[in-house]
């Protein structure tokens, strides 16, 4: 899960830097190329950490538990969100 969060953070920073460069570039100059997203690792390590792939929540129950004010968010929900 940490790898996915780190990749998302790097992608957002790269996009912010690219937007800053685009806005502050000369109007008649070439626009910089958009950054490539960082490759995400596959989801297989989660099965190795003891998570049973058959117990994955469906999206309706995951969003219902998130809107109910619970503090805990399952790793599967984070992977689907940042995926």
């Amino acid at each position: 899960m940490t790898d996915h969060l780190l990749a998302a953070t790097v992608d957002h920073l790269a996009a912010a830097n690219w937007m800053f460069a685009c806005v502050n570039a000369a109007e008649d100059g070439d626009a910089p190329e958009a950054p490539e997203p960082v490759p995400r690792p596959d989801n297989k390590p989660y099965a190795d950490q003891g998570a049973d792939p058959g117990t994955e929540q469906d999206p309706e129950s995951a969003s219902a538990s998130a809107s109910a004010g619970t503090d805990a968010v399952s790793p599967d929900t984070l992977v689907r969100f940042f995926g």
Side-chain angles (χ1 to χ4, degrees):
M1 177 171 33
T2 304
D3 294 336
H4 285 277
L5 294 173
L6 183 59
T9 302
V10 169
D11 286 344
H12 288 335
L13 286 172
N17 287 335
W18 173 72
M19 284 188 255
F20 181 81
C22 286
V23 168
N24 292 308
E27 289 183 22
D28 56 349
D30 292 334
E33 291 186 26
E36 293 290 324
V38 174
R40 300 320 197 249
D42 59 355
N43 293 332
K44 291 181 183 177
Y46 292 111
D48 295 338
Q49 295 176 2
D52 184 13
T55 60
E56 185 174 320
Q57 288 182 329
D58 59 287
E60 289 82 22
S61 64
S63 63
S65 66
S67 64
T70 60
D71 291 343
V73 177
S74 73
D76 294 331
T77 304
L78 288 175
V79 168
R80 281 194 301 270
F81 179 78
F82 288 107

